[in-house]
Amino acid sequence: MRRITVVGTGYVGLVTGTCLADLGNRVICLDIDERKIEMLRNDQIPIYEPGLEEMVRRNAAAGRLHFTTSYEEAIPESDFVFIAVGTPEGVDGEADLKYVGMAAESIARAMEHPIIIVNKSTVPVGTGDWVADIVNRHKLKDVPFWVVSNPEFLREGSAIQDFLNPDRIVLGSTDREAAAKVAELYLPLRAPIIITDLRTAEMIKYASNAFLATRISFINEIASICEKLGADVKEVAIGMGYDKRIGHHFLDAGVGYGGSCFAGDTTVFALNSHRIIARSIEELVTGEGQSVRVGEVEIVKPEQVSKVLAFDLASRRTTLTDVHCFTRRWYEGTMITIHTRMGRQLRVTADHPVVLYDQNTQQFRIVLAEQVRVGDHLIAATEMPKTESVSTVDLIAALEGTELEADVKVRPYDEQFTRLYSQFAFAVPSDLMKYRYEIKRKNYMPLLVYRHLRNQGCLNIQANQLRLFTTKGHPTYCPAQFQVDHDFMRLLGYYIAEGWISPDIGRNGRIRERVNFSFDTHEHEYIADLHRILQRYGIRYTERRDGRSHKTVVSSRVLAFLLRDVLRCGTRSEDKQLPKLVFHVDESLKLAFLRGAWSGDGAITKVQQGRNLVYEYATVSKPLAEGMALLLQSLGIVPSIHRRWMNKSTQQAYILRISGIEQLERLKTIFGPERQSEIETVLQGYERRIAQSGFQRREAFVTLEVTRVERETAAEYVYSMETATATLLTGSGLVAHNCFPKDVKALAHMAALHGCHPQLLQAVMEINKDKRREVVRKLRDLLDGLRDRTVGLLGLAFKPN
């Protein structure tokens, strides 16, 4: 807990002080306006800012936030003093610094120990030196102090959100240690912190505001041209992008695209019905909702997919971000495939922006794909954002509204239906069950009847007490609810590795579905574990042996529905996918799933005459391989990915390899207890603890060196997914940028003009003035003069909220 005083309780001061208190500091908000301080002491907020009132009350009640009009009370109690007073515009347009000067003088007179003075107000370049001079001249005791510039980038109406989720923290001082101490206050926000000298920090604020003004005047100038040419400036603005402050974060392509740039088989990680799934972008686009065509671009508005895994370039961490739209267009031109170490690939159009990591500056930079060179570094995520956890899978809920629902029957584990029959029999509709007495006699009912009775409040038997089946006679039961535990996750792993679903025709022409698992006959441990899990769930199975193959068969449409439709695992090796819930469980359950999957499709390979080991996993499903790589990376394990044609295979296989003794030790249980001892014996013989090479670890990502850049002439559909962060995670966790508008070179040229011509700001101001006059001119034209006219103006707020 740091001791902080914030001078000024306007938008900047009150929001800053309250948010700093919410981060766990002891904050005194100081203002010379006695009326405002009295209001705040009585939980009355003198300004309106969404969420501020509740936050002020909470922190005041917790004893972290106090209010005073006395410098003598506040300053001796503080180690940091923020100046957040107003700087109104003077008659000549220059900022009036009289309130800053008064605050600096008052701070100086009240200082009793070393403090850091933080300029939060928007002040001209050089003000920090001026404040230091005032304090030196007026301090009553010879105590050291330091001045740090910390310009604010808060927008009225969203100031709390902006403070807690900043694009960057800018700090400037002649004493770097003082700036570093202020930086520690902001560490909980996990935002990039820029430390510069005083004048540079002050200039960053002015330059940012000037550029915002440039953007506003620019789009106003475009509006005038659009009106003359018959274009829609709103769609033009959407196409150009949007701006929260300045930066790549808030460039949203909108309707003017032309920059749909990903190959269709690019794997992305989408949030579908609250669960993350690994899918090709082509599959998501073609499976989405209504589309509209603008020129040559087909735009699809997301329906099921609301968010995707992306990467926040500011916080340097993986996040879930909103999807605005998908696009697809026919493309004839150069496609570029970027190859990196560890076998990662990114295939995009030549003009697609690519996120690189500069090893020297340790900063991100964005270049066009055609500008990527061997030796550059892409980044891959190694951390997952916090997601909604899942502890159960409820098949009764999942079956609602499906075609299968009408065929499913429900039976309790005991005789509850028979015993309770008299309590609910009256509520069984005849149109759902003609002979309701059958429920008492046979102790089961159709799922539709059960759902009706539950909805009417006539039956209070929960899903975890029930079994589901579809075939009469000698049915295969399946639990109505599964606990997501180690057994369940290993079962999913076994299915991903060695399972498939096959339909066949039963008696009376009914379609049956069989869930099959096939292991080598020598894999006794895995077969026994699979059978134990099925027996625990009461799922009946049969066994078949054919040469070296041991097959376990479950005839159950319900189990097939769970694996194929609920968890979206696929039905055969070519279309296998990670289970829909695998990114929503804890580390031990992820490891349980991996143990099942790698026990089936994995191998332990000895290298260097048996002295070292490599774990390998093979699949022909690209989304499964790339999803498996991201899953491993979320556990801190970075595998390599190799592609090759297997013997007698009609499609390419993907082989994941794990090496490096630390990674091998972490996953030594991945092949089960029997093979664990074999692994440990080899690992104990390692002469040197050599880490896996091929990547460099950072806090929440790894960097991968570009080894080859391939160019090809292509004619194919290309796709785009526009997100709120302007990024998304592609196959195996590679961070990719959204598409820029098509004419990137023209935008770059415009940016160069902004930086090179000193006349620009003058032009910006002139355009801004002219737009006011243009409103009057337009009204005169529309109304044939303004004499005796009454003009109504809708909207009085400068910004929302």
Side-chain angles (χ1 to χ4, degrees), residues 223-273:
S224 298
I225 300 171
C226 285
E227 190 166 0
K228 301 295 184 183
L229 300 179
D232 186 337
V233 71
K234 289 188 175 182
E235 293 193 4
V236 171
I238 293 171
M240 289 176 57
Y242 61 89
D243 170 32
K244 179 184 177 186
R245 286 289 86 181
I246 310 289
H248 53 264
H249 252 339
F250 299 93
L251 289 174
D252 176 14
V255 213
Y257 310 105
S260 315
C261 304
F262 290 105
D265 66 348
T266 301
T267 301
V268 295
F269 301 91
L271 193 71
N272 179 281
S273 301

Side-chain angles (χ1 to χ4, degrees), residues 126-308:
T127 302
D129 298 326
W130 179 68
V131 166
D133 183 59
I134 291 175
V135 176
N136 268 321
R137 285 190 283 110
H138 291 91
K139 64 180 180 178
L140 302 180
K141 295 183 179 180
D142 188 19
V143 292
F145 69 94
W146 301 267
V147 176
V148 175
S149 175
N150 176 210
E152 57 86 15
F153 298 96
L154 307 180
R155 298 168 300 168
E156 295 179 12
S158 60
I160 290 177
Q161 179 72 11
D162 289 348
F163 184 98
L164 298 177
N165 300 277
D167 294 326
R168 78 287 203 198
I169 306 295
V170 177
L171 300 169
S173 180
T174 55
D175 189 299
R176 191 172 184 87
E177 184 176 345
K181 289 180 179 178
V182 179
E184 290 176 4
L185 299 175
Y186 290 104
L187 289 180
L189 302 182
R190 306 182 79 98
I193 296 176
I194 303 166
I195 296 181
T196 71
D197 59 79
L198 264 173
R199 294 183 174 232
T200 300
E202 292 164 344
M203 185 62 190
I204 287 172
K205 170 67 175 178
Y206 269 80
S208 297
N209 284 350
F211 189 69
L212 286 172
T214 302
R215 293 285 293 263
I216 294 167
S217 289
F218 178 81
I219 198 63
N220 282 337
E221 190 82 327
I222 294 297
S224 298
I225 300 171
C226 285
E227 190 166 0
K228 301 295 184 183
L229 300 179
D232 186 337
V233 71
K234 289 188 175 182
E235 293 193 4
V236 171
I238 293 171
M240 289 176 57
Y242 61 89
D243 170 32
K244 179 184 177 186
R245 286 289 86 181
I246 310 289
H248 53 264
H249 252 339
F250 299 93
L251 289 174
D252 176 14
V255 213
Y257 310 105
S260 315
C261 304
F262 290 105
D265 66 348
T266 301
T267 301
V268 295
F269 301 91
L271 193 71
N272 179 281
S273 301
H274 311 297
R275 299 285 179 263
I276 294 172
I277 56 173
R279 293 292 184 268
S280 73
I281 193 168
E282 179 180 20
E283 182 181 350
L284 290 175
V285 172
T286 55
E288 273 298 323
Q290 292 184 339
S291 65
V292 62
R293 181 166 291 279
V294 177
E296 297 180 354
V297 182
E298 182 183 2
I299 305 163
V300 183
K301 186 173 177 58
E303 290 184 353
Q304 295 300 316
V305 177
S306 58
K307 293 180 180 290
V308 291

Side-chain angles (χ1 to χ4, degrees), residues 534-588:
L534 293 174
Q535 289 164 14
R536 173 196 163 190
Y537 291 137
I539 298 175
R540 187 166 57 87
Y541 61 87
T542 59
E543 299 178 68
R544 299 174 187 170
R545 291 175 177 81
D546 182 11
R548 293 178 53 189
S549 172
H550 183 287
K551 185 185 294 186
T552 300
V553 183
V554 177
S555 180
S556 170
R557 293 172 68 193
V558 177
L559 183 61
F561 172 78
L562 168 70
L563 296 169
R564 178 190 58 232
D565 302 311
V566 178
L567 300 179
R568 309 284 291 275
C569 295
T571 60
R572 62 190 192 282
S573 58
E574 293 81 4
D575 66 5
K576 286 290 180 63
Q577 313 269 8
L578 286 179
K580 197 173 175 180
L581 52 69
V582 77
F583 288 111
H584 298 263
V585 297
D586 63 29
E587 181 173 319
S588 68

Side-chain angles (χ1 to χ4, degrees), residues 310-453:
F311 194 81
D312 188 327
L313 294 173
S315 66
R316 299 183 169 215
R317 294 189 176 277
T318 309
T319 184
L320 273 169
T321 193
D322 293 330
V323 179
H324 296 312
C325 63
F326 302 100
T327 71
R328 180 179 73 165
R329 71 183 177 97
W330 182 255
Y331 173 76
E332 296 182 11
T334 301
M335 294 292 290
I336 291 183
T337 304
I338 303 169
H339 300 262
T340 76
R341 301 189 71 180
M342 307 300 291
R344 304 301 199 269
Q345 294 181 5
L346 181 64
R347 185 170 180 265
V348 293
T349 55
D351 59 354
H352 188 82
V354 175
V355 180
L356 299 180
Y357 184 79
D358 191 312
Q359 303 282 71
N360 296 320
T361 64
Q362 298 186 6
Q363 299 295 322
F364 301 116
R365 61 190 182 96
I366 300 169
V367 303
L368 303 185
E370 62 188 1
Q371 298 170 335
V372 175
R373 299 292 180 261
V374 172
D376 287 337
H377 289 81
L378 299 188
I379 59 175
T382 57
E383 182 187 82
M384 293 293 294
K386 185 174 180 58
T387 55
E388 176 186 332
S389 61
V390 55
S391 58
T392 59
V393 177
D394 190 333
L395 284 176
I396 289 180
L399 282 161
E400 186 170 6
T402 65
E403 291 183 8
L404 180 59
E405 182 180 25
D407 294 337
V408 175
K409 301 166 183 61
V410 184
R411 170 169 275 156
Y413 284 96
D414 56 14
E415 299 297 317
Q416 287 192 82
F417 284 177
T418 298
R419 188 171 65 251
L420 300 174
Y421 176 74
S422 61
Q423 298 179 21
F424 61 74
F426 70 93
V428 177
S430 58
D431 59 329
L432 291 180
M433 191 170 186
K434 186 174 182 180
Y435 302 107
R436 61 187 179 190
Y437 185 79
E438 292 290 299
I439 299 175
K440 180 176 182 179
R441 189 169 71 87
K442 297 182 179 179
N443 194 42
Y444 74 76
M445 66 178 70
L447 174 57
L448 290 172
V449 172
Y450 168 81
R451 198 184 302 284
H452 173 79
L453 295 176

